[in-house]
Amino acid sequence: MPELPEELYARAKDALRMPPVEDWETFPFDGEMRPRALRPPEDRERPRFGEGGVDCHRCAAPDDEYLWVNERWRLWAFPEPTGLPLIVLLESREHYAEPGDLPDELAADLGVMLARIEGAIRGLGNIGRVHVCRWGDGGEHLHWWFLARPARIPQLIGSFAAIWDDVLPPVPEEQWRADLAALAAALG
Ligand SMILES: [Zn+2]
């Protein structure tokens, strides 16, 4: 079993390391940096939005807030352009909290959906990679991120793409709308 949070904190708080970010081509920031002080553990996990499906705004959202829906899944796009070419979120229609909570049939269908959406986004062109991610620390309602990063700009590869999204200026709105429409069309 991994160590208790209190054990980790006691071991780590005075032993934080500063990685050589100046050597990392993909690191988005420059200048003098140091790690933030590690704060002690809290008594319990902070509650997430919509825990147990109570006041869950994803459950309450109507289908017309989504880019694409079927009977099991709904695909949501940000209401305005992002720094990366495209970011969409796949949500289960029913309220589930964790991937491991899905019944087998839905979990199998999730695999099909992840592949279909990834392929459809990549098919838009000029996309170097589609990162398929699940964090789930904000809202509880199960959702998967699709982060499309531009092709041929090596600085934007890897997990820092999620940070570069906030650094790059937003995609021109017309371009972004056309790409979303093409994605919806590709998904049928
Ligand atoms: Zn929900």
Side-chain angles (χ1 to χ4, degrees):
M1 186 189 291
E3 63 194 334
L4 278 171
E6 286 77 11
E7 293 170 336
L8 183 152
Y9 175 70
R11 180 174 59 77
K13 67 182 170 64
D14 297 320
L16 297 179
R17 303 174 296 167
M18 186 61 207
V21 294
E22 64 280 5
D23 295 338
W24 297 355
E25 190 184 19
T26 58
F27 192 69
F29 305 104
D30 233 342
E32 281 294 311
M33 285 185 206
R34 59 180 186 276
R36 280 193 182 173
L38 188 64
R39 296 187 196 141
E42 300 180 354
D43 289 342
R44 57 184 61 84
E45 279 275 312
R46 290 185 184 181
R48 297 180 288 178
F49 296 110
E51 265 196 6
V54 177
D55 295 330
C56 175
H57 64 280
R58 303 327 296 163
C59 283
D63 277 2
D64 62 12
E65 281 186 19
Y66 288 81
L67 180 69
W68 175 91
V69 301
N70 73 6
E71 67 279 8
R72 291 168 156 182
W73 305 101
R74 305 201 287 180
L75 191 67
W76 186 81
F78 277 78
E80 50 196 42
T82 47
L84 292 177
L86 208 73
I87 299 181
V88 291
L89 277 72
L90 178 70
E91 298 172 1
S92 53
R93 185 177 277 282
E94 300 293 318
H95 190 98
Y96 291 96
E98 315 295 342
D101 295 345
L102 291 173
D104 281 355
E105 195 190 344
L106 203 51
D109 197 43
L110 171 64
V112 173
M113 290 307 305
L114 296 180
R116 271 186 70 192
I117 295 167
E118 185 279 333
I121 297 172
R122 190 160 32 89
L124 296 173
N126 293 330
I127 300 298
R129 196 83 56 216
V130 182
H131 300 304
V132 182
C133 313
R134 190 267 172 173
W135 284 286
D137 276 343
E140 183 184 83
H141 193 121
L142 187 62
H143 58 284
W144 296 75
W145 292 78
F146 296 80
L147 306 167
R149 69 140 173 92
R152 295 188 290 103
I153 305 182
Q155 264 185 290
L156 305 182
I157 71 169
S159 57
F160 288 126
I163 307 297
W164 277 107
D165 177 56
D166 289 316
V167 176
L168 296 168
V171 174
E173 175 137 8
E174 221 167 287
Q175 171 80 58
W176 175 76
R177 290 199 181 283
D179 288 338
L180 282 181
L183 173 60
L187 292 170

